[in-house]
Structure formats: structure tokens, C-alpha cells
Amino acid sequence: MLWLAVFLPTFTLDCCQRGVPSSEGPLGIIEQDRLVAINALAAATGVQPGQTVSTVFALLPSLQLLERSRTRESEALQGLAAWAQQFTPTVSLRLPAEATDPAGLLLDVAGSLRLFNGPDRLTRRVQAGLAENGFPAHTGSACTPTGAWLLARHRHALHADTPNRLRALLARLPVRLLACAQPHEAALQAVGVRTIEQLMQLPRAGLARRFGLELLDELDRATGQRPDPQPVFMTPDSFESHLDLPAPVEDSERLLFGARRLLLQLCGWLAGRQAGARRLSLRAEHERCPATLIHFGPDRPSRDPSQLGLLLAEALRHTRLAAATSSLKLQCHDVHHYAPASTELFPGAATAHEQIDRLVERLKARLGNEQVSQLYQVAEHRPEYAWRAEPVQRLPLYTPEPARPRAGHPTVSPPRPAPQSPIALRAALQHSAAARKAWHAQRATGSLPAPLRPLWLIEPPLALSERNSRPFWESPLSLLAGPERIESGWWDNKLVLRDYFIAEDTSHRLVWIFRERLSASGAWYLHGRFG
């Protein structure tokens, strides 16, 4: 068994200022007309926790004061517990009952060490994630939860994986770290007890008679001599996180900073449930007008904070806030089971497809769903009617090609389409006269593959001039292949009678040209370009 303790030394202050990148001046948190927490700028002026508001203002009139909210702290710690369940399902809360009580989390990580490559890497990931959430933390690990909690409170990164090492580390800790010893700190110091080792050397019967059984019970639970069960935090079935801002925010960039920290909590909650989100909403609360609701989300379930952050940034870019924002609330409305794709040593088609998906999502968030279209082929001979564009609703999932059968197992391979690249086309038609003869021979026998057509069409077709009986577009054009005759459209009064040719200019660029069959002028038109 191994427990990882997370001690949040500035939890009360962090709950108030985590919505902004940094405090612009001295800041203090008050409760019942007394100062309970201050930032570094206020501490540098001589202000100290425990002073009354009148004394604080006499020393520092420019100090910004915020009222402490126990509800806000409880919600923040529960949000961190839900985020931490991506590392282990067994998470316990240490919520402060008094103003000076410590706050933190306890994680049973014994079953997660192999997944995260050992305790050191796991601890670094937890600490880095907490810092991104706006909560600097001290960590400690031990074979008992209470022992790990005491180590984390004393000094960062203390580790005791065996009972003997745990007892040796606990012996050097100050006795005031024990919660049951704090009411008796003066009496213990009077008899010369300042460390836990000195406390353990005293007669147990006398300690129980003078300071109560609770002190011995806490000591035994810390050293592993008694069971130390911890209440397990139960993750909520739905996600909703709230963030109060220290001061009203009007800039969307500053608003996005706090919203991204809510997204980090959401992604941790989703990872703990092996799920992904599709539809989310960010509610920006204002003091004197209705709230602004911002909807966003990916096409497919995701729990990637960078992807969700980019989509939110695009949505905020096109949202006009009614007034300055005082608080944020993030809600997740559509949760699906989600298993991330296996990583590849070398990026392949699946990686490229995922990147295209994310690009389409950002374009839809920036331009609107109706402004991003996908091209579809239409069974039509006329080039200008052989495609249609429809709004992208959801891109098809990438399906890799089936594996090749083993030797001795025959299979029928589907026909491959003709090459469409200008390089392949030039190699087939221009490299030698023999290749061109072979092309025309195949065409005469009817064994040619599907006609080669360019990707880019020019609408309307561009009329070309003739020089020395040759079509001319920036330079004389040489016919390489053709004609491809198209006679279609009599049923919709858009009759097309054309002969198409693949041509090449003096710079070896390939174009697609045609001439009207029944036209008296016999003019040439440019209708497409290859590449």
C-alpha cells in the first residue's frame, strides 16, 4: 500500500485568485473581521494573518480584501478530487474545519504505479497538474495515509515506502503537526516535548490520562500500528464547476485563463470515468445583467484540454459579453465513452485524419457550421455538375486498409483508380512518344482506365486564343491526350457537347481544355488545372 498526500499550503488564497494569471497588488482574505490569508505582495509590507481589518487598513490602505467563502473552498477541493481520480479511484479529502487547518488530498496510488512508470513520475504529474489548476502543492508518500499527510506538511517530496523508514522520518517531525497535539502544544513544550520521537518516548498511560486517547490514536495510525481507514470521495455523475473571479473581467483573453482551469478539472473528471465530452457550455455571470451563455464542443468525444481550449477560444472570439464577468460556470451536457487512439512511433494516416478533424472543428467554431462545407461526388458526366458541397456535420472515422492475406490465400483486390497527380500523368503521356502511342492504343481498344480529370476547375471556363492553329494560354499548348467526348444534359436544358484534351504549356504545366463540338468558331476553353 502506498499513499500520496497532497498538501495545499495556500489553499484559501488560491481559491480566490486562481481565475487570473497573477494578482496586480496586495491581496488579503478576511473571515469574521480578521485576516486569514495574504499574498506575497501584502506580506512584504508587514501585514500578517490574524490582524483585524482596521489594523490592516492602518498599515496598508491599498490592500484589496476578499471575503472567505467556505462553500467556494469545498467546491474547489471537490473539483480537485474529481480531477485527481484520473490517477486513482481512491481519493480522500482533507477539508479545513478551522481558519488555520490545512487542506489537501490523499491518493491511494499503489495500483497506479506501473501505469505511470513509478512513484516519482506519478508525483511529478500530480504536482504539475495541480499547478496548472492554480494550486501549488507539497507532496509526500508513505505506507499509511496519516503518515503521508504529516510528511507532506513538513517538507516537500518526503518518501517512506516501508514502516521502518516511516517511523524514522516521523520521529524527526515537530509534534505540532499532529492535529490532536495542537491544543496541548504549550503543555508539551513545557515538559520538553517538541518532536514526535520525544512524544513516543513518554509513557502511553500517562499521555492518555493527561492528553486523551485521541493523541495516541493519531500517532498509532500514522506509524501503522492501527488501521487508518479514509472516507473515499465519490465522483459526481455530472460535471459542473464554478469559479469566482477576484475582480470583474472584461477582456476575453483574461476570461479564457480562468476558463482553461475549469477545462483542466473537466478533463481530469472525464479521464477518471474513461469518457469524453461533446457538448459543453460556459456561463459568464454578470452583476447587473443576465448571464452570457457560450456553447462549444468537438465533433467527436474528447478530453484533450488543448483541443477544448482552442474551441472555447474561437467561441469567445465571436461572443460579445453583456458586461464585465464576475464568475464562470462550466457544464458538460453530453458525455460518451471514449478510449484514446493508440500512439504511433511514426505518424500515419490516422494521425493525419485526426489533425484534419481538429482543423475542421476550429474552422466551424470560427466561421460557423454552415460556412464549412465538404465536397461529395455526383454521378454526372458534366464536370461542373459532378460535385456538390454540403455543410460538414461529422467527418467519417478513419478506417485503415485491411491487412494483406497470407500466401496461399487468394483474394480479389478492388480496382485502383487512375493516378490523378500531374507527375504521374506527365510520366505516362510525355516521357516518350511510345508512351503516347500506347495511350492512344489503349483508348482505341476501350481498355483505358477512368478519364483523368483535374482537381481544380475554372468557373466559368476561360476562353483561349489561337496562335499558329494551337491553343494559347500564357504560352503555346501541346495536346497530350484526348479527346474525351462529353454529350450530356439534354434533359435539363443544359446540353453540353464538348471534346476535352489534356494539354501542356512550355513550363510543363498540365491543363484541361475543351472545344465545343458544334460551334462554328471552334474556340478553345480552359476548364481546369492539374496540381
Side-chain angles (χ1 to χ4, degrees):
M1 181 176 292
L2 185 66
W3 288 83
L4 176 65
V6 176
F7 170 50
L8 306 173
T10 56
F11 177 69
T12 299
L13 184 65
D14 296 334
C15 287
C16 295
Q17 62 178 7
R18 60 189 292 256
V20 293
S22 60
S23 179
E24 298 179 353
L27 176 66
I29 312 299
I30 61 172
E31 185 179 31
Q32 297 180 355
D33 199 37
R34 286 194 176 272
L35 202 62
V36 296
I38 56 175
N39 64 355
L41 295 176
T45 63
V47 176
Q48 297 180 0
Q51 294 175 335
T52 62
V53 174
S54 58
T55 303
V56 169
F57 275 122
L59 296 173
L60 186 60
S62 62
L63 180 65
Q64 179 187 1
L65 294 179
L66 297 176
E67 188 72 28
R68 183 182 186 183
S69 173
R70 296 298 184 95
T71 303
R72 176 173 54 201
E73 293 181 7
S74 177
E75 292 176 352
L77 195 59
Q78 291 180 17
L80 287 181
W83 168 86
Q85 286 190 327
Q86 64 183 300
F87 304 105
T88 172
T90 307
V91 180
S92 301
L93 304 181
R94 284 295 179 111
L95 188 64
E98 301 296 334
T100 58
D101 287 351
L105 302 172
L106 289 171
L107 288 70
D108 184 3
V109 297
S112 307
L113 298 180
R114 184 176 179 182
L115 177 63
F116 294 95
N117 297 321
D120 294 337
R121 293 189 178 183
L122 173 59
T123 301
R124 287 196 295 268
R125 286 194 57 174
V126 171
Q127 191 175 14
L130 289 169
E132 291 180 354
N133 277 283
F135 291 95
H138 296 170
T139 59
S141 56
C143 50
T144 67
T146 301
W149 179 247
L150 294 175
L151 295 179
R153 289 186 57 198
H154 177 62
R155 198 175 68 195
H156 174 60
L158 289 179
H159 177 69
D161 54 352
T162 62
N164 292 335
R165 176 165 174 76
L166 176 59
R167 289 178 63 90
L169 289 177
L170 290 178
R172 299 195 294 266
L173 301 188
V175 71
R176 57 179 173 80
L177 293 179
L178 295 171
C180 296
Q182 292 177 2
H184 313 289
E185 184 177 0
L188 290 171
Q189 289 186 358
V191 296
V193 176
R194 291 176 174 79
T195 64
I196 293 181
E197 182 180 18
Q198 294 172 342
L199 182 67
M200 291 189 295
Q201 292 176 352
L202 296 178
R204 294 176 59 89
L207 282 176
R209 184 170 56 254
R210 187 167 182 178
F211 302 111
L213 292 175
E214 294 81 4
L215 179 59
L216 289 178
D217 180 70
E218 183 179 6
L219 188 61
D220 291 342
R221 286 188 286 109
T223 56
Q225 297 181 11
R226 298 194 61 177
D228 191 14
Q230 299 292 325
V232 179
F233 171 77
M234 302 302 296
T235 180
D237 295 333
S238 60
F239 181 87
E240 180 177 312
S241 185
H242 184 265
L243 177 63
D244 289 326
L245 303 177
V249 174
E250 298 180 356
D251 185 10
S252 60
E253 291 296 329
R254 293 171 62 88
L255 196 66
L256 185 61
F257 179 85
R260 279 175 172 159
R261 286 187 164 169
L262 294 179
L263 287 175
L264 287 173
Q265 286 192 9
L266 167 67
C267 294
W269 177 79
L270 291 171
R273 298 172 62 90
Q274 296 297 308
R278 282 197 59 197
R279 292 190 301 110
L280 302 101
S281 64
L282 181 68
R283 185 181 181 89
E285 301 283 351
H286 314 296
E287 293 181 352
R288 298 181 181 179
C289 57
T292 302
L293 199 59
I294 305 161
H295 298 283
F296 65 101
D299 289 338
R300 294 193 181 92
S302 174
R303 58 170 180 262
D304 185 355
S306 60
Q307 178 185 8
L308 298 179
L310 288 175
L311 295 178
L312 177 58
E314 296 294 347
L316 279 174
R317 186 175 300 175
H318 300 281
T319 301
R320 183 176 181 180
L321 300 176
T325 303
S326 58
S327 63
L328 298 173
K329 180 182 290 186
L330 180 66
Q331 293 178 310
C332 182
H333 305 285
D334 195 2
V335 178
H336 299 266
H337 177 73
Y338 170 74
S342 300
T343 57
E344 301 174 337
L345 179 60
F346 299 103
T351 303
H353 194 276
E354 182 180 359
Q355 293 175 351
I356 294 176
D357 285 351
R358 295 197 176 189
L359 173 61
V360 171
E361 290 172 355
R362 291 192 64 184
L363 291 175
K364 291 169 64 176
R366 178 176 298 183
L367 305 176
N369 292 340
E370 301 299 326
Q371 303 300 322
V372 182
S373 300
Q374 186 174 3
L375 299 181
Y376 294 89
Q377 291 183 343
V378 178
E380 172 63 63
H381 292 285
R382 294 169 292 180
E384 56 266 40
Y385 302 112
W387 61 276
R388 73 177 189 274
E390 294 183 359
V392 177
Q393 299 297 329
R394 186 175 180 183
L395 292 180
L397 289 171
Y398 167 74
T399 304
E401 294 184 359
R404 295 182 178 180
R406 299 178 182 177
H409 295 265
T411 182
V412 179
S413 301
R416 293 185 176 271
Q420 298 289 335
S421 68
I423 297 177
L425 181 60
R426 185 180 297 112
L429 301 179
Q430 186 204 9
H431 187 65
S432 65
R436 288 197 295 271
K437 292 180 180 179
W439 172 275
H440 289 291
Q442 287 181 331
R443 180 178 178 275
T445 59
S447 60
L448 272 179
L452 295 172
R453 292 188 175 184
L455 179 63
W456 302 107
L457 291 182
I458 298 175
E459 288 292 339
L462 178 65
L464 302 179
S465 60
E466 285 193 23
R467 295 186 183 181
N468 299 325
S469 301
R470 295 173 61 185
F472 186 91
W473 179 66
E474 298 182 358
S475 65
L477 299 178
S478 302
L479 301 183
L480 297 183
E484 175 193 348
R485 180 159 293 178
I486 296 179
E487 297 183 3
S488 182
W490 54 267
W491 57 87
D492 58 2
N493 296 324
K494 297 178 181 178
L495 180 63
V496 167
L497 301 173
R498 300 171 182 169
D499 285 339
Y500 279 88
F501 297 85
I502 299 175
E504 182 183 34
D505 64 6
T506 56
S507 299
H508 304 292
R509 293 178 299 179
L510 301 181
V511 293
W512 206 39
I513 62 176
F514 72 87
R515 67 193 315 174
E516 297 284 354
R517 289 186 52 240
L518 301 181
S519 174
S521 63
W524 291 93
Y525 294 87
L526 175 65
H527 204 184
R529 297 181 59 179
F530 291 89

